[in-house]
Amino acid sequence: MNEILQISDTFIEQNTVFLELVNELKKMFSCNEIIVPMRHHHDFPNPELKSDSTLLLMPAWNPSKNAGVKIVTVSPENGQFNMPSIQGTYIYLDAIKGSIKAILEAKSLTVKRTAAASALASSFLSRKDSKSLLMIGTGALSVNLIKAHASVRAIEKVYVWGRNYEKAIRICDQLKGENYISVPVKNIEDKISEVDIISSATLSPKPLVLGKYLKEGQHVDLVGAYKKDTREADDEAVKKSSIYVDTYQGGLKESGDILIPLQRGILKEEEVKADLFELCTDKKEGRVSSSEITFFKSVGHALEDLTAANYYYKKYTNE
């Protein structure tokens, strides 16, 4: 029996080149080879903390090549334990034999592939001359989203907002060696109207990206609000924007950012312009004008996990 490799968060952190991962995702969204059933999404009570947690099971197969499943929990109150809200494991399989090839720590894998998917969307949806970014949120995704967006656009200035200003300062400190200036801000409204790209990754129960502040030509990237009753952008933001999702399968059903406007009649399903499959295969186009506001909602997809697991497995084994 072959040894099961253990691929740690440390290895993933040290061996990620975002533009490489973005290109791998683009290739796999284009190839139509990976089979992805609807993920299991189970909310379960956590009475001790008076807040629900979520269990996600995300399988995917590339027949006769590779397969895998991610098991993830999301616990919004983990900050009080000084732990990320996302915890999990990825089991990477030989799709022919069914044997386990590797077990990857899913925290870093998830944030890396999520950030890379947002950057992939940005390559179609943000203006090519985008130079500034507002990062809303200071969790594990924030640094990764900033670096990923900067891999596809020539970002010069980054503003970081978080409910805890000290955390925003620490995020900016982590980015001091990058090719852009990072500045913490105390109020979203101070910069939201000025930047080219707005990226939001929070567990906020109410919208933080308000349409009244959006201006022509911006790109809005939303990766938080993973539940049906939560959202990061309000109705006005939806009304002013061209709407895109990572996949129709999850994007139209799992997050309040899309589901609530659909239920209210603010948005119709046919008004959602495209998903990443259609963008990557050129079946549909992304941004069509410099004045358009584009709005991308990501809920995550098992294709992204399998692609990332394969990417890190190859790096680990020097294949």
Side-chain angles (χ1 to χ4, degrees), residues 29-223:
F29 272 109
S30 303
C31 74
N32 200 31
E33 292 178 359
I34 298 180
I35 299 169
V36 181
M38 189 70 182
R39 72 182 178 184
H40 287 245
H41 184 136
H42 304 283
D43 295 328
F44 61 92
N46 195 341
E48 185 171 332
L49 298 179
K50 299 179 181 178
S51 173
D52 285 355
S53 291
T54 300
L55 172 68
L56 302 172
L57 305 176
M58 302 174 66
W61 300 269
N62 193 345
S64 295
K65 293 183 180 178
N66 47 50
V69 60
K70 188 170 75 174
I71 304 168
V72 168
T73 58
V74 184
S75 300
E77 302 301 320
N78 271 7
Q80 63 187 276
F81 305 117
N82 198 29
M83 293 173 62
S85 59
I86 298 173
Q87 302 287 321
T89 295
Y90 194 88
I91 303 172
Y92 182 62
L93 305 166
D94 182 316
I96 297 174
K97 303 171 187 174
S99 55
I100 298 174
K101 298 171 74 172
I103 295 176
L104 297 89
E105 294 186 34
K107 178 172 67 71
S108 286
L109 181 142
T110 300
V111 296
K112 300 297 184 191
R113 66 79 154 149
T114 301
S118 283
L120 175 59
S122 181
S123 71
F124 292 101
L125 301 177
S126 66
R127 294 195 330 269
K128 288 182 170 57
D129 63 350
S130 295
K131 291 181 171 59
S132 57
L133 167 72
L134 170 63
M135 183 69 238
I136 299 174
T138 55
L141 262 169
S142 57
V143 167
N144 291 284
L145 281 162
I146 293 166
K147 290 183 177 181
H149 277 291
S151 76
V152 299
R153 293 291 182 253
I155 301 298
E156 297 175 357
K157 197 77 172 278
V158 173
Y159 301 98
V160 180
W161 176 89
R163 294 189 187 282
N164 184 325
Y165 184 66
E166 296 302 317
K167 287 185 178 179
I169 292 173
R170 288 199 292 271
I171 295 295
C172 293
D173 287 342
Q174 290 181 53
L175 297 168
K176 280 186 176 176
E178 303 298 328
N179 294 325
Y180 39 83
I181 298 169
S182 302
V183 180
V185 295
K186 292 186 176 180
N187 298 295
I188 293 172
E189 55 269 27
D190 288 346
K191 294 298 177 184
I192 191 169
S193 298
E194 298 178 14
V195 297
D196 301 313
I197 299 172
I198 300 154
S199 185
S200 184
T202 74
L203 298 175
S204 175
K206 63 180 183 179
L208 297 171
V209 178
L210 306 182
K212 66 182 180 180
Y213 295 119
L214 298 182
K215 66 173 186 179
E216 289 187 353
Q218 289 182 306
H219 172 57
V220 178
D221 167 47
L222 304 178
V223 298

Side-chain angles (χ1 to χ4, degrees), residues 209 211 214-215 218-220 222 233-244 266-267 271-273 291-296:
V209 178
L214 298 182
K215 66 173 186 179
Q218 289 182 306
H219 172 57
V220 178
L222 304 178
D234 67 357
D235 286 345
E236 188 173 348
V238 172
K239 289 177 183 177
K240 293 175 73 170
S241 303
S242 298
I243 308 298
Y244 297 82
I266 301 295
L267 177 69
E271 292 175 323
V272 178
K273 300 287 187 181
S291 61
E292 178 181 18
I293 298 172
T294 53
F295 177 120
F296 175 69

